[in-house]
Amino acid sequence: AQSVTQLGSHVSVSEGALVLLRCNYSSSVPPYLFWYVQYPNQGLQLLLKYTSAATLVKGINGFEAEFKKSETSFHLTKPSAHMSDAAEYFCAVSDAGGTSYGKLTFGQGTILTVHP
Amino acid sequence: DTAVSQTPKYLVTQMGNDKSIKCEQNLGHDTMYWYKQDSKKFLKIMFSYNNKELIINETVPNRFSPKSPDKAHLNLHINSLELGDSAVYFCASSQDLGLANTQYFGPGTRLTVL
């Protein structure tokens, strides 16, 4: 079965600093990987996804993530944090095979705090 | 024009009661899902439906019964509510069962069982 681990339940950065949110996955077949963002009291919104095309994926709001098969990682980065980036971020995996039928398995989430 | 909508947004009820949460999507998608987010913000799939057919039932107690009257709606009925059912329930939809498809989430329903 697939699984996702997000290292660090809380990440705090200063405005303008680099954002790095870590995600490692476990999957028996090449995965499809997603990053979602959840703002307070809202539903989840897709930031970006990896679907076996380019390993460096660009998403909305200046975020990007790099798929590294050798490290089973899909870390999310943004060069310069903005106050509006404060939210909870979820990494998710959808197996590219078997009988998963589009099931997403989520990591435990990382809360990003941005300080002025 | 909300893509995925849920009602109600908040639901407070007593143990043992029966309640329903409704979900509608206007994206023309074939597949819909219910997720449960617990107090630690952990998200876990409960059910998925494709064209009104149950696809995933993720070992959820049979007190939970999803119903899909048409492919734009997926409702969740919960019988004999328990304290542990308190959570935020999210509905989502995707174009179809494709594994790379984006899932679009509703705003959530916060259920509190007293």
Side-chain angles (χ1 to χ4, degrees), chain B residues 17 20 48 56 66 71 77 79 81:
Chain B
N17 284 350
S20 292
S48 75
I56 293 175
K71 71 176 191 179
H77 187 77
N79 290 325
L81 278 156

Side-chain angles (χ1 to χ4, degrees), chain B residues 77-95:
Chain B
H77 187 77
I78 316 170
N79 290 325
S80 304
L81 278 156
E82 300 177 357
L83 292 176
D85 297 332
S86 295
V88 181
Y89 292 85
F90 287 100
C91 177
S93 73
S94 63
Q95 183 175 350

Side-chain angles (χ1 to χ4, degrees), chain A residues 2 93 100-106, chain B residues 31-37 42-49 54-61 74 89-90 92 94 97 103 105:
Chain A
Q2 67 273 31
V93 63
S100 298
Y101 297 117
K103 168 185 170 182
L104 286 178
T105 298
F106 285 89
Chain B
T31 308
M32 296 184 72
Y33 311 81
W34 278 109
Y35 288 87
K36 179 180 180 180
Q37 187 175 47
F42 183 64
L43 265 162
K44 186 171 167 58
I45 192 166
M46 301 172 70
F47 301 101
S48 75
Y49 270 72
L54 178 66
I55 302 298
I56 293 175
N57 181 340
E58 197 73 0
T59 60
V60 177
L74 180 61
Y89 292 85
F90 287 100
S94 63
L97 289 170
Q103 293 186 18
F105 285 77

Side-chain angles (χ1 to χ4, degrees), chain A residues 9-13 19-21 63 81-82 85-89 110-114:
Chain A
S9 58
H10 289 81
V11 170
S12 181
V13 300
V19 175
L20 171 61
L21 305 182
F63 284 93
H82 192 272
D85 294 327
E88 187 153 15
Y89 292 78
T110 298
I111 296 173
L112 175 66
T113 303
V114 182

Side-chain angles (χ1 to χ4, degrees), chain A:
Chain A
Q2 67 273 31
S3 65
V4 174
T5 301
Q6 291 182 238
L7 298 174
S9 58
H10 289 81
V11 170
S12 181
V13 300
S14 298
E15 193 172 19
L18 171 73
V19 175
L20 171 61
L21 305 182
R22 299 178 189 273
C23 172
N24 287 89
Y25 69 91
S26 171
S27 176
S28 57
V29 295
Y32 295 142
L33 293 158
F34 304 77
W35 274 101
Y36 281 84
V37 60
Q38 185 179 26
Y39 298 102
N41 298 314
Q42 294 187 27
L44 280 74
Q45 177 184 1
L46 181 74
L47 276 177
L48 49 80
K49 63 182 177 182
Y50 167 74
T51 59
S52 74
T55 56
L56 182 62
V57 181
K58 294 187 184 299
I60 62 171
N61 301 339
F63 284 93
E64 61 183 38
E66 186 172 9
F67 172 70
K68 291 187 177 180
K69 183 178 177 180
S70 61
E71 299 177 8
T72 60
S73 69
F74 190 55
H75 301 331
L76 182 70
T77 60
K78 181 173 180 177
S80 177
H82 192 272
M83 297 295 289
S84 61
D85 294 327
E88 187 153 15
Y89 292 78
F90 293 91
C91 183
V93 63
S94 173
D95 263 351
T99 57
S100 298
Y101 297 117
K103 168 185 170 182
L104 286 178
T105 298
F106 285 89
Q108 65 270 45
T110 298
I111 296 173
L112 175 66
T113 303
V114 182
H115 297 287

Side-chain angles (χ1 to χ4, degrees), chain B:
Chain B
D1 288 347
T2 304
V4 182
S5 59
Q6 297 178 227
T7 54
K9 190 169 176 60
Y10 300 96
L11 188 52
V12 181
T13 188
Q14 301 286 333
M15 278 177 55
N17 284 350
D18 304 337
K19 290 293 179 185
S20 292
I21 307 172
K22 295 186 176 182
C23 177
E24 177 180 2
Q25 55 94 4
N26 62 8
L27 297 167
H29 289 169
D30 287 345
T31 308
M32 296 184 72
Y33 311 81
W34 278 109
Y35 288 87
K36 179 180 180 180
Q37 187 175 47
D38 63 22
S39 59
K40 295 184 179 179
K41 295 293 193 73
F42 183 64
L43 265 162
K44 186 171 167 58
I45 192 166
M46 301 172 70
F47 301 101
S48 75
Y49 270 72
N50 186 63
N51 277 322
K52 304 192 296 176
E53 179 186 352
L54 178 66
I55 302 298
I56 293 175
N57 181 340
E58 197 73 0
T59 60
V60 177
N62 57 15
R63 297 184 295 105
F64 290 78
S65 53
K67 284 187 172 52
S68 183
D70 55 63
K71 71 176 191 179
H73 296 83
L74 180 61
N75 303 323
L76 184 65
H77 187 77
I78 316 170
N79 290 325
S80 304
L81 278 156
E82 300 177 357
L83 292 176
D85 297 332
S86 295
V88 181
Y89 292 85
F90 287 100
C91 177
S93 73
S94 63
Q95 183 175 350
D96 51 41
L97 289 170
L99 297 173
N101 286 341
T102 298
Q103 293 186 18
Y104 295 83
F105 285 77
T109 296
R110 183 175 294 277
L111 171 64
T112 303
V113 182
L114 303 175

